Amino acid sequence: MKIVYVVPGPMDDQEAKRREGLLKEWAFPSTHVEVRTVNQGPASIESAYEEYLSIPETAKLMVEAEKEGFNGAVLGCAGDPGLDAYRELTKEMVVMGPGVSSLHAAALRGHRFSVLTVTDSTVPGVYDLVDKAGLQSKFVSVRAVNIPVLDLAKDRKGTLEKLLEHGREVLKDGADSIVLGCMSMGFLEVAEDMEKELGVPVINPAKAALKLTESFAHIGYAHSKKAFHTPPKLESGKVNSLDELLFVK
C-alpha cells in the first residue's frame, strides 16, 4: 500500500523528513509512506485566506499522486482546506482530511468532544468542520492556545503546558475527549502526554488521519463520486488539465 502525506505549503526539508519518519513509525510495516510538499503557498495556515491560497498547488500534487498509483493521500492540515476539491479531482485514491477524521474519532471514543486549536483566527474554521462532520450534538467547545503554528515546536514544554491548561478548561465545559486541531501539534507527539495527565482520550490528527487512510484503502472505501463530482469540463474533455480550468483573459 502506498500513502502520500501532502503538505499544503512549503516546508523545510529536514522537518518534512522528520514527519515522514514519524508517519512511517505509525504506519503498518507493509505501508509505504511518502511526504510531499508544494513549491508555493502559505508557510503556515492560520486563516481562511491562507487555506484558499494553499488549494491550487495542493490539488496538482493530489492528482499526480493518484496517477502514480498511490492508494491514499492524507492532507497535511487539520483545517481540511480543499478536501472536497481534491475528492472531485480524484476517483479511486482515498483522500482523507485530518480535521473531520479526528472529530469522528473523538466522537467514537467518547460522548462529547472539544477542540484545541492554534490561534483565535482558526476558531471559526473549527465550527465549519463540526458542521461538515454533522457532529454538532457531540461538540462542546473550541479553545485557542494562541501559539502560532510555526512557534509550536520552538518550546515543546511550553506548548504542552498551554495545551494542558486549556485541556483542563474544556473538561470543565463538559468534554470527555479532546481533538488537537493542528497537524503541527500532532507531530509534537503531545497527545499521549496529555492523555496521561488529563485522563481522557486526546486525538492526534496526524496519526488518526493516517490510520483511517490505511483502513479505507485496505478495504477499498474511496469517496462517492455522486457526492464529489468530477468538474464537468474535465469529465467531458473540454479541458485536459487543472491549469486549463483557469480562464485567463
Side-chain angles (χ1 to χ4, degrees), residues 176-228:
D176 53 37
S177 60
I178 296 171
V179 174
L180 299 180
C182 174
M183 294 299 259
S184 291
M185 290 178 180
F187 284 105
L188 276 181
E189 295 191 282
V190 292
E192 290 79 8
D193 294 333
M194 293 177 67
E195 286 196 358
K196 288 178 184 177
E197 182 70 24
L198 300 176
V200 299
V202 178
I203 309 300
N204 176 339
K207 188 179 290 186
L210 170 67
K211 301 310 287 185
L212 278 171
T213 303
E214 281 186 304
S215 299
F216 272 50
H218 181 71
I219 57 180
Y221 276 10
H223 47 278
S224 167
K225 291 307 291 181
K226 188 173 179 62
F228 302 97

mmCIF file of all heavy atoms in Angstrom, residues 176-228:
data_model
loop_
_atom_site.group_PDB
_atom_site.id
_atom_site.type_symbol
_atom_site.label_atom_id
_atom_site.label_comp_id
_atom_site.label_asym_id
_atom_site.label_seq_id
_atom_site.Cartn_x
_atom_site.Cartn_y
_atom_site.Cartn_z
ATOM 1 N N ASP A 176 -15.472 14.991 27.131
ATOM 2 C CA ASP A 176 -14.835 13.784 27.647
ATOM 3 C C ASP A 176 -13.797 13.232 26.676
ATOM 4 O O ASP A 176 -13.223 12.169 26.890
ATOM 5 C CB ASP A 176 -15.859 12.706 28.003
ATOM 6 C CG ASP A 176 -16.819 12.384 26.877
ATOM 7 O OD1 ASP A 176 -16.389 12.385 25.701
ATOM 8 O OD2 ASP A 176 -18.006 12.128 27.153
ATOM 9 N N SER A 177 -13.547 13.945 25.573
ATOM 10 C CA SER A 177 -12.424 13.663 24.682
ATOM 11 C C SER A 177 -12.006 14.974 24.029
ATOM 12 O O SER A 177 -12.787 15.928 23.961
ATOM 13 C CB SER A 177 -12.771 12.607 23.624
ATOM 14 O OG SER A 177 -13.846 13.025 22.817
ATOM 15 N N ILE A 178 -10.755 15.015 23.573
ATOM 16 C CA ILE A 178 -10.175 16.260 23.058
ATOM 17 C C ILE A 178 -9.517 16.000 21.710
ATOM 18 O O ILE A 178 -8.845 14.980 21.525
ATOM 19 C CB ILE A 178 -9.131 16.824 24.046
ATOM 20 C CG1 ILE A 178 -9.806 17.214 25.377
ATOM 21 C CG2 ILE A 178 -8.401 18.026 23.449
ATOM 22 C CD1 ILE A 178 -8.815 17.579 26.475
ATOM 23 N N VAL A 179 -9.706 16.934 20.785
ATOM 24 C CA VAL A 179 -9.067 16.870 19.472
ATOM 25 C C VAL A 179 -8.009 17.963 19.378
ATOM 26 O O VAL A 179 -8.279 19.129 19.691
ATOM 27 C CB VAL A 179 -10.099 17.071 18.341
ATOM 28 C CG1 VAL A 179 -9.409 17.156 16.984
ATOM 29 C CG2 VAL A 179 -11.125 15.946 18.347
ATOM 30 N N LEU A 180 -6.811 17.590 18.949
ATOM 31 C CA LEU A 180 -5.782 18.586 18.652
ATOM 32 C C LEU A 180 -6.049 19.107 17.243
ATOM 33 O O LEU A 180 -5.989 18.354 16.275
ATOM 34 C CB LEU A 180 -4.387 17.967 18.749
ATOM 35 C CG LEU A 180 -4.005 17.418 20.127
ATOM 36 C CD1 LEU A 180 -2.605 16.821 20.091
ATOM 37 C CD2 LEU A 180 -4.093 18.508 21.198
ATOM 38 N N GLY A 181 -6.325 20.398 17.128
ATOM 39 C CA GLY A 181 -6.789 20.961 15.866
ATOM 40 C C GLY A 181 -5.690 21.517 14.990
ATOM 41 O O GLY A 181 -5.900 22.513 14.287
ATOM 42 N N CYS A 182 -4.524 20.885 14.985
ATOM 43 C CA CYS A 182 -3.408 21.344 14.162
ATOM 44 C C CYS A 182 -2.452 20.184 13.944
ATOM 45 O O CYS A 182 -2.103 19.472 14.898
ATOM 46 C CB CYS A 182 -2.685 22.504 14.842
ATOM 47 S SG CYS A 182 -1.192 23.041 13.984
ATOM 48 N N MET A 183 -2.019 19.989 12.697
ATOM 49 C CA MET A 183 -1.109 18.886 12.407
ATOM 50 C C MET A 183 0.247 19.066 13.085
ATOM 51 O O MET A 183 0.892 18.094 13.483
ATOM 52 C CB MET A 183 -0.935 18.742 10.897
ATOM 53 C CG MET A 183 -2.200 18.319 10.174
ATOM 54 S SD MET A 183 -2.823 16.716 10.722
ATOM 55 C CE MET A 183 -2.230 15.667 9.390
ATOM 56 N N SER A 184 0.691 20.302 13.239
ATOM 57 C CA SER A 184 1.968 20.529 13.922
ATOM 58 C C SER A 184 1.886 20.118 15.388
ATOM 59 O O SER A 184 2.882 19.662 15.966
ATOM 60 C CB SER A 184 2.383 21.999 13.798
ATOM 61 O OG SER A 184 2.719 22.304 12.454
ATOM 62 N N MET A 185 0.715 20.256 16.005
ATOM 63 C CA MET A 185 0.520 19.719 17.354
ATOM 64 C C MET A 185 0.671 18.198 17.331
ATOM 65 O O MET A 185 1.280 17.601 18.213
ATOM 66 C CB MET A 185 -0.864 20.080 17.878
ATOM 67 C CG MET A 185 -1.098 21.535 18.208
ATOM 68 S SD MET A 185 -2.811 21.773 18.764
ATOM 69 C CE MET A 185 -2.832 23.542 19.081
ATOM 70 N N GLY A 186 0.093 17.584 16.297
ATOM 71 C CA GLY A 186 0.170 16.135 16.178
ATOM 72 C C GLY A 186 1.594 15.644 16.086
ATOM 73 O O GLY A 186 1.970 14.640 16.715
ATOM 74 N N PHE A 187 2.415 16.339 15.312
ATOM 75 C CA PHE A 187 3.800 15.910 15.119
ATOM 76 C C PHE A 187 4.713 16.286 16.289
ATOM 77 O O PHE A 187 5.889 15.940 16.288
ATOM 78 C CB PHE A 187 4.344 16.454 13.802
ATOM 79 C CG PHE A 187 3.820 15.705 12.604
ATOM 80 C CD1 PHE A 187 2.858 16.270 11.786
ATOM 81 C CD2 PHE A 187 4.270 14.429 12.316
ATOM 82 C CE1 PHE A 187 2.353 15.580 10.691
ATOM 83 C CE2 PHE A 187 3.781 13.728 11.229
ATOM 84 C CZ PHE A 187 2.820 14.298 10.406
ATOM 85 N N LEU A 188 4.155 16.975 17.296
ATOM 86 C CA LEU A 188 4.894 17.192 18.544
ATOM 87 C C LEU A 188 4.761 15.991 19.469
ATOM 88 O O LEU A 188 5.432 15.914 20.501
ATOM 89 C CB LEU A 188 4.366 18.438 19.274
ATOM 90 C CG LEU A 188 4.908 19.793 18.858
ATOM 91 C CD1 LEU A 188 4.277 20.884 19.709
ATOM 92 C CD2 LEU A 188 6.420 19.853 18.975
ATOM 93 N N GLU A 189 3.853 15.073 19.124
ATOM 94 C CA GLU A 189 3.600 13.865 19.926
ATOM 95 C C GLU A 189 3.283 14.210 21.386
ATOM 96 O O GLU A 189 3.859 13.651 22.323
ATOM 97 C CB GLU A 189 4.793 12.915 19.845
ATOM 98 C CG GLU A 189 5.047 12.353 18.451
ATOM 99 C CD GLU A 189 6.067 11.225 18.466
ATOM 100 O OE1 GLU A 189 7.267 11.547 18.559
ATOM 101 O OE2 GLU A 189 5.660 10.055 18.398
ATOM 102 N N VAL A 190 2.340 15.126 21.550
ATOM 103 C CA VAL A 190 1.929 15.515 22.902
ATOM 104 C C VAL A 190 0.645 14.822 23.336
ATOM 105 O O VAL A 190 0.279 14.872 24.518
ATOM 106 C CB VAL A 190 1.725 17.051 22.997
ATOM 107 C CG1 VAL A 190 3.045 17.781 22.862
ATOM 108 C CG2 VAL A 190 0.721 17.540 21.950
ATOM 109 N N ALA A 191 -0.055 14.158 22.421
ATOM 110 C CA ALA A 191 -1.352 13.570 22.745
ATOM 111 C C ALA A 191 -1.247 12.558 23.879
ATOM 112 O O ALA A 191 -2.073 12.543 24.799
ATOM 113 C CB ALA A 191 -1.969 12.929 21.505
ATOM 114 N N GLU A 192 -0.226 11.694 23.817
ATOM 115 C CA GLU A 192 -0.077 10.675 24.845
ATOM 116 C C GLU A 192 0.218 11.302 26.215
ATOM 117 O O GLU A 192 -0.304 10.852 27.245
ATOM 118 C CB GLU A 192 1.048 9.703 24.462
ATOM 119 C CG GLU A 192 0.714 8.792 23.285
ATOM 120 C CD GLU A 192 0.849 9.493 21.926
ATOM 121 O OE1 GLU A 192 1.355 10.637 21.892
ATOM 122 O OE2 GLU A 192 0.450 8.875 20.919
ATOM 123 N N ASP A 193 1.050 12.338 26.235
ATOM 124 C CA ASP A 193 1.337 13.038 27.492
ATOM 125 C C ASP A 193 0.072 13.657 28.065
ATOM 126 O O ASP A 193 -0.159 13.620 29.283
ATOM 127 C CB ASP A 193 2.384 14.131 27.266
ATOM 128 C CG ASP A 193 3.746 13.582 26.888
ATOM 129 O OD1 ASP A 193 4.037 12.440 27.283
ATOM 130 O OD2 ASP A 193 4.506 14.282 26.206
ATOM 131 N N MET A 194 -0.745 14.230 27.177
ATOM 132 C CA MET A 194 -1.987 14.859 27.627
ATOM 133 C C MET A 194 -2.967 13.828 28.161
ATOM 134 O O MET A 194 -3.651 14.068 29.165
ATOM 135 C CB MET A 194 -2.603 15.653 26.477
ATOM 136 C CG MET A 194 -1.787 16.859 26.042
ATOM 137 S SD MET A 194 -2.529 17.712 24.628
ATOM 138 C CE MET A 194 -4.042 18.365 25.377
ATOM 139 N N GLU A 195 -3.043 12.679 27.504
ATOM 140 C CA GLU A 195 -3.955 11.629 27.978
ATOM 141 C C GLU A 195 -3.595 11.183 29.393
ATOM 142 O O GLU A 195 -4.465 10.996 30.243
ATOM 143 C CB GLU A 195 -3.931 10.437 27.018
ATOM 144 C CG GLU A 195 -4.658 10.683 25.715
ATOM 145 C CD GLU A 195 -4.958 9.388 24.961
ATOM 146 O OE1 GLU A 195 -4.567 8.302 25.453
ATOM 147 O OE2 GLU A 195 -5.591 9.467 23.897
ATOM 148 N N LYS A 196 -2.297 11.021 29.647
ATOM 149 C CA LYS A 196 -1.859 10.596 30.979
ATOM 150 C C LYS A 196 -2.212 11.644 32.032
ATOM 151 O O LYS A 196 -2.632 11.315 33.144
ATOM 152 C CB LYS A 196 -0.345 10.359 30.972
ATOM 153 C CG LYS A 196 0.088 9.119 30.211
ATOM 154 C CD LYS A 196 1.604 8.993 30.213
ATOM 155 C CE LYS A 196 2.057 7.801 29.368
ATOM 156 N NZ LYS A 196 3.549 7.709 29.306
ATOM 157 N N GLU A 197 -2.034 12.911 31.672
ATOM 158 C CA GLU A 197 -2.257 13.988 32.639
ATOM 159 C C GLU A 197 -3.741 14.272 32.848
ATOM 160 O O GLU A 197 -4.182 14.527 33.976
ATOM 161 C CB GLU A 197 -1.546 15.256 32.151
ATOM 162 C CG GLU A 197 -1.654 16.446 33.079
ATOM 163 C CD GLU A 197 -0.849 16.269 34.366
ATOM 164 O OE1 GLU A 197 0.119 15.493 34.357
ATOM 165 O OE2 GLU A 197 -1.203 16.917 35.374
ATOM 166 N N LEU A 198 -4.526 14.234 31.764
ATOM 167 C CA LEU A 198 -5.936 14.631 31.834
ATOM 168 C C LEU A 198 -6.885 13.455 32.045
ATOM 169 O O LEU A 198 -8.021 13.644 32.471
ATOM 170 C CB LEU A 198 -6.320 15.383 30.558
ATOM 171 C CG LEU A 198 -5.534 16.663 30.261
ATOM 172 C CD1 LEU A 198 -5.944 17.242 28.914
ATOM 173 C CD2 LEU A 198 -5.735 17.695 31.367
ATOM 174 N N GLY A 199 -6.433 12.261 31.699
ATOM 175 C CA GLY A 199 -7.269 11.088 31.917
ATOM 176 C C GLY A 199 -8.398 10.908 30.919
ATOM 177 O O GLY A 199 -9.364 10.185 31.201
ATOM 178 N N VAL A 200 -8.295 11.547 29.756
ATOM 179 C CA VAL A 200 -9.310 11.396 28.706
ATOM 180 C C VAL A 200 -8.603 11.181 27.369
ATOM 181 O O VAL A 200 -7.429 11.526 27.218
ATOM 182 C CB VAL A 200 -10.235 12.639 28.607
ATOM 183 C CG1 VAL A 200 -10.992 12.856 29.905
ATOM 184 C CG2 VAL A 200 -9.425 13.885 28.234
ATOM 185 N N PRO A 201 -9.316 10.623 26.364
ATOM 186 C CA PRO A 201 -8.711 10.470 25.045
ATOM 187 C C PRO A 201 -8.340 11.814 24.428
ATOM 188 O O PRO A 201 -9.111 12.782 24.497
ATOM 189 C CB PRO A 201 -9.812 9.792 24.220
ATOM 190 C CG PRO A 201 -10.690 9.125 25.230
ATOM 191 C CD PRO A 201 -10.666 10.028 26.420
ATOM 192 N N VAL A 202 -7.157 11.877 23.826
ATOM 193 C CA VAL A 202 -6.711 13.062 23.090
ATOM 194 C C VAL A 202 -6.319 12.598 21.693
ATOM 195 O O VAL A 202 -5.441 11.744 21.539
ATOM 196 C CB VAL A 202 -5.517 13.752 23.785
ATOM 197 C CG1 VAL A 202 -5.054 14.958 22.971
ATOM 198 C CG2 VAL A 202 -5.900 14.179 25.207
ATOM 199 N N ILE A 203 -6.966 13.161 20.692
ATOM 200 C CA ILE A 203 -6.797 12.701 19.318
ATOM 201 C C ILE A 203 -5.669 13.448 18.627
ATOM 202 O O ILE A 203 -5.706 14.678 18.499
ATOM 203 C CB ILE A 203 -8.096 12.886 18.499
ATOM 204 C CG1 ILE A 203 -9.297 12.275 19.243
ATOM 205 C CG2 ILE A 203 -7.944 12.279 17.113
ATOM 206 C CD1 ILE A 203 -9.191 10.806 19.529
ATOM 207 N N ASN A 204 -4.674 12.688 18.169
ATOM 208 C CA ASN A 204 -3.603 13.214 17.334
ATOM 209 C C ASN A 204 -4.095 13.186 15.890
ATOM 210 O O ASN A 204 -4.285 12.110 15.324
ATOM 211 C CB ASN A 204 -2.353 12.349 17.494
ATOM 212 C CG ASN A 204 -1.204 12.766 16.592
ATOM 213 O OD1 ASN A 204 -1.400 13.430 15.570
ATOM 214 N ND2 ASN A 204 -0.004 12.364 16.947
ATOM 215 N N PRO A 205 -4.319 14.340 15.241
ATOM 216 C CA PRO A 205 -4.915 14.347 13.902
ATOM 217 C C PRO A 205 -4.040 13.693 12.841
ATOM 218 O O PRO A 205 -4.558 13.094 11.899
ATOM 219 C CB PRO A 205 -5.118 15.835 13.607
ATOM 220 C CG PRO A 205 -4.102 16.538 14.462
ATOM 221 C CD PRO A 205 -4.008 15.712 15.709
ATOM 222 N N ALA A 206 -2.727 13.791 12.993
ATOM 223 C CA ALA A 206 -1.833 13.178 12.013
ATOM 224 C C ALA A 206 -1.938 11.657 12.065
ATOM 225 O O ALA A 206 -2.052 10.982 11.038
ATOM 226 C CB ALA A 206 -0.391 13.621 12.273
ATOM 227 N N LYS A 207 -1.912 11.121 13.266
ATOM 228 C CA LYS A 207 -1.989 9.666 13.429
ATOM 229 C C LYS A 207 -3.375 9.142 13.038
ATOM 230 O O LYS A 207 -3.498 8.115 12.362
ATOM 231 C CB LYS A 207 -1.660 9.297 14.881
ATOM 232 C CG LYS A 207 -1.527 7.808 15.113
ATOM 233 C CD LYS A 207 -1.176 7.497 16.575
ATOM 234 C CE LYS A 207 0.231 7.920 16.922
ATOM 235 N NZ LYS A 207 0.619 7.478 18.305
ATOM 236 N N ALA A 208 -4.421 9.849 13.464
ATOM 237 C CA ALA A 208 -5.785 9.405 13.162
ATOM 238 C C ALA A 208 -6.039 9.386 11.657
ATOM 239 O O ALA A 208 -6.609 8.427 11.118
ATOM 240 C CB ALA A 208 -6.799 10.311 13.861
ATOM 241 N N ALA A 209 -5.621 10.438 10.962
ATOM 242 C CA ALA A 209 -5.854 10.508 9.519
ATOM 243 C C ALA A 209 -5.068 9.442 8.775
ATOM 244 O O ALA A 209 -5.571 8.829 7.825
ATOM 245 C CB ALA A 209 -5.487 11.899 8.998
ATOM 246 N N LEU A 210 -3.832 9.202 9.200
ATOM 247 C CA LEU A 210 -3.015 8.176 8.554
ATOM 248 C C LEU A 210 -3.658 6.804 8.693
ATOM 249 O O LEU A 210 -3.797 6.056 7.716
ATOM 250 C CB LEU A 210 -1.617 8.155 9.165
ATOM 251 C CG LEU A 210 -0.733 6.976 8.746
ATOM 252 C CD1 LEU A 210 -0.365 7.064 7.262
ATOM 253 C CD2 LEU A 210 0.521 6.908 9.616
ATOM 254 N N LYS A 211 -4.060 6.443 9.918
ATOM 255 C CA LYS A 211 -4.590 5.108 10.156
ATOM 256 C C LYS A 211 -5.956 4.926 9.497
ATOM 257 O O LYS A 211 -6.273 3.827 9.007
ATOM 258 C CB LYS A 211 -4.683 4.831 11.657
ATOM 259 C CG LYS A 211 -3.364 4.934 12.402
ATOM 260 C CD LYS A 211 -2.242 4.134 11.751
ATOM 261 C CE LYS A 211 -2.399 2.646 11.946
ATOM 262 N NZ LYS A 211 -1.226 1.893 11.410
ATOM 263 N N LEU A 212 -6.767 5.970 9.433
ATOM 264 C CA LEU A 212 -8.038 5.874 8.728
ATOM 265 C C LEU A 212 -7.817 5.713 7.225
ATOM 266 O O LEU A 212 -8.531 4.958 6.561
ATOM 267 C CB LEU A 212 -8.902 7.104 9.004
ATOM 268 C CG LEU A 212 -9.682 7.087 10.317
ATOM 269 C CD1 LEU A 212 -10.312 8.442 10.583
ATOM 270 C CD2 LEU A 212 -10.762 6.005 10.303
ATOM 271 N N THR A 213 -6.819 6.409 6.708
ATOM 272 C CA THR A 213 -6.493 6.277 5.283
ATOM 273 C C THR A 213 -6.058 4.853 4.972
ATOM 274 O O THR A 213 -6.500 4.260 3.979
ATOM 275 C CB THR A 213 -5.381 7.262 4.891
ATOM 276 O OG1 THR A 213 -5.797 8.593 5.209
ATOM 277 C CG2 THR A 213 -5.080 7.178 3.405
ATOM 278 N N GLU A 214 -5.197 4.302 5.813
ATOM 279 C CA GLU A 214 -4.776 2.915 5.632
ATOM 280 C C GLU A 214 -5.978 1.972 5.638
ATOM 281 O O GLU A 214 -6.096 1.084 4.779
ATOM 282 C CB GLU A 214 -3.818 2.497 6.748
ATOM 283 C CG GLU A 214 -2.393 2.970 6.583
ATOM 284 C CD GLU A 214 -1.502 2.393 7.662
ATOM 285 O OE1 GLU A 214 -1.809 2.583 8.866
ATOM 286 O OE2 GLU A 214 -0.500 1.752 7.328
ATOM 287 N N SER A 215 -6.862 2.163 6.601
ATOM 288 C CA SER A 215 -8.021 1.273 6.733
ATOM 289 C C SER A 215 -8.942 1.372 5.528
ATOM 290 O O SER A 215 -9.381 0.357 4.969
ATOM 291 C CB SER A 215 -8.792 1.612 8.010
ATOM 292 O OG SER A 215 -7.992 1.439 9.160
ATOM 293 N N PHE A 216 -9.255 2.594 5.111
ATOM 294 C CA PHE A 216 -10.148 2.785 3.974
ATOM 295 C C PHE A 216 -9.538 2.226 2.692
ATOM 296 O O PHE A 216 -10.211 1.589 1.885
ATOM 297 C CB PHE A 216 -10.479 4.272 3.803
ATOM 298 C CG PHE A 216 -11.663 4.728 4.609
ATOM 299 C CD1 PHE A 216 -11.755 4.432 5.962
ATOM 300 C CD2 PHE A 216 -12.690 5.458 4.028
ATOM 301 C CE1 PHE A 216 -12.845 4.848 6.710
ATOM 302 C CE2 PHE A 216 -13.790 5.869 4.771
ATOM 303 C CZ PHE A 216 -13.868 5.579 6.117
ATOM 304 N N ALA A 217 -8.252 2.474 2.499
ATOM 305 C CA ALA A 217 -7.584 1.970 1.296
ATOM 306 C C ALA A 217 -7.559 0.440 1.295
ATOM 307 O O ALA A 217 -7.748 -0.191 0.251
ATOM 308 C CB ALA A 217 -6.169 2.528 1.201
ATOM 309 N N HIS A 218 -7.345 -0.140 2.460
ATOM 310 C CA HIS A 218 -7.258 -1.597 2.558
ATOM 311 C C HIS A 218 -8.583 -2.266 2.177
ATOM 312 O O HIS A 218 -8.589 -3.311 1.514
ATOM 313 C CB HIS A 218 -6.873 -2.005 3.975
ATOM 314 C CG HIS A 218 -6.744 -3.486 4.164
ATOM 315 N ND1 HIS A 218 -5.704 -4.216 3.630
ATOM 316 C CD2 HIS A 218 -7.547 -4.379 4.813
ATOM 317 C CE1 HIS A 218 -5.870 -5.496 3.947
ATOM 318 N NE2 HIS A 218 -6.970 -5.617 4.661
ATOM 319 N N ILE A 219 -9.694 -1.664 2.577
ATOM 320 C CA ILE A 219 -10.997 -2.274 2.270
ATOM 321 C C ILE A 219 -11.650 -1.679 1.018
ATOM 322 O O ILE A 219 -12.758 -2.047 0.665
ATOM 323 C CB ILE A 219 -11.967 -2.178 3.470
ATOM 324 C CG1 ILE A 219 -12.177 -0.727 3.901
ATOM 325 C CG2 ILE A 219 -11.467 -3.003 4.620
ATOM 326 C CD1 ILE A 219 -13.131 -0.586 5.082
ATOM 327 N N GLY A 220 -10.933 -0.765 0.350
ATOM 328 C CA GLY A 220 -11.438 -0.221 -0.905
ATOM 329 C C GLY A 220 -12.551 0.796 -0.768
ATOM 330 O O GLY A 220 -13.409 0.910 -1.639
ATOM 331 N N TYR A 221 -12.516 1.577 0.314
ATOM 332 C CA TYR A 221 -13.547 2.586 0.557
ATOM 333 C C TYR A 221 -13.095 3.961 0.066
ATOM 334 O O TYR A 221 -12.634 4.794 0.837
ATOM 335 C CB TYR A 221 -13.864 2.670 2.044
ATOM 336 C CG TYR A 221 -14.869 1.666 2.546
ATOM 337 C CD1 TYR A 221 -15.309 0.617 1.758
ATOM 338 C CD2 TYR A 221 -15.378 1.763 3.841
ATOM 339 C CE1 TYR A 221 -16.226 -0.301 2.228
ATOM 340 C CE2 TYR A 221 -16.295 0.842 4.325
ATOM 341 C CZ TYR A 221 -16.712 -0.191 3.514
ATOM 342 O OH TYR A 221 -17.614 -1.097 3.987
ATOM 343 N N ALA A 222 -13.201 4.223 -1.220
ATOM 344 C CA ALA A 222 -12.943 5.568 -1.746
ATOM 345 C C ALA A 222 -14.202 6.414 -1.572
ATOM 346 O O ALA A 222 -15.268 5.916 -1.217
ATOM 347 C CB ALA A 222 -12.533 5.491 -3.211
ATOM 348 N N HIS A 223 -14.087 7.702 -1.857
ATOM 349 C CA HIS A 223 -15.219 8.609 -1.694
ATOM 350 C C HIS A 223 -16.250 8.404 -2.813
ATOM 351 O O HIS A 223 -15.935 7.891 -3.887
ATOM 352 C CB HIS A 223 -14.742 10.057 -1.686
ATOM 353 C CG HIS A 223 -13.773 10.389 -2.780
ATOM 354 N ND1 HIS A 223 -12.423 10.121 -2.696
ATOM 355 C CD2 HIS A 223 -13.960 10.947 -3.991
ATOM 356 C CE1 HIS A 223 -11.824 10.501 -3.799
ATOM 357 N NE2 HIS A 223 -12.722 11.003 -4.613
ATOM 358 N N SER A 224 -17.457 8.838 -2.556
ATOM 359 C CA SER A 224 -18.546 8.704 -3.523
ATOM 360 C C SER A 224 -18.437 9.776 -4.602
ATOM 361 O O SER A 224 -18.394 10.975 -4.310
ATOM 362 C CB SER A 224 -19.896 8.855 -2.817
ATOM 363 O OG SER A 224 -20.943 9.033 -3.755
ATOM 364 N N LYS A 225 -18.413 9.341 -5.857
ATOM 365 C CA LYS A 225 -18.365 10.312 -6.954
ATOM 366 C C LYS A 225 -19.734 10.935 -7.197
ATOM 367 O O LYS A 225 -19.863 11.897 -7.954
ATOM 368 C CB LYS A 225 -17.835 9.659 -8.231
ATOM 369 C CG LYS A 225 -16.349 9.283 -8.157
ATOM 370 C CD LYS A 225 -15.471 10.462 -7.746
ATOM 371 C CE LYS A 225 -15.395 11.537 -8.832
ATOM 372 N NZ LYS A 225 -14.499 12.671 -8.412
ATOM 373 N N LYS A 226 -20.766 10.420 -6.583
ATOM 374 C CA LYS A 226 -22.069 11.083 -6.621
ATOM 375 C C LYS A 226 -22.077 12.276 -5.670
ATOM 376 O O LYS A 226 -22.803 13.237 -5.851
ATOM 377 C CB LYS A 226 -23.185 10.106 -6.257
ATOM 378 C CG LYS A 226 -24.594 10.661 -6.467
ATOM 379 C CD LYS A 226 -25.650 9.593 -6.246
ATOM 380 C CE LYS A 226 -27.047 10.152 -6.422
ATOM 381 N NZ LYS A 226 -27.312 10.654 -7.774
ATOM 382 N N ALA A 227 -21.235 12.192 -4.652
ATOM 383 C CA ALA A 227 -21.085 13.302 -3.703
ATOM 384 C C ALA A 227 -20.047 14.310 -4.183
ATOM 385 O O ALA A 227 -20.213 15.519 -4.010
ATOM 386 C CB ALA A 227 -20.695 12.769 -2.329
ATOM 387 N N PHE A 228 -18.966 13.788 -4.780
ATOM 388 C CA PHE A 228 -17.855 14.646 -5.216
ATOM 389 C C PHE A 228 -17.675 14.473 -6.722
ATOM 390 O O PHE A 228 -16.858 13.679 -7.183
ATOM 391 C CB PHE A 228 -16.577 14.287 -4.454
ATOM 392 C CG PHE A 228 -16.720 14.395 -2.954
ATOM 393 C CD1 PHE A 228 -16.988 13.270 -2.188
ATOM 394 C CD2 PHE A 228 -16.607 15.620 -2.328
ATOM 395 C CE1 PHE A 228 -17.129 13.367 -0.807
ATOM 396 C CE2 PHE A 228 -16.752 15.730 -0.949
ATOM 397 C CZ PHE A 228 -17.020 14.591 -0.184
#
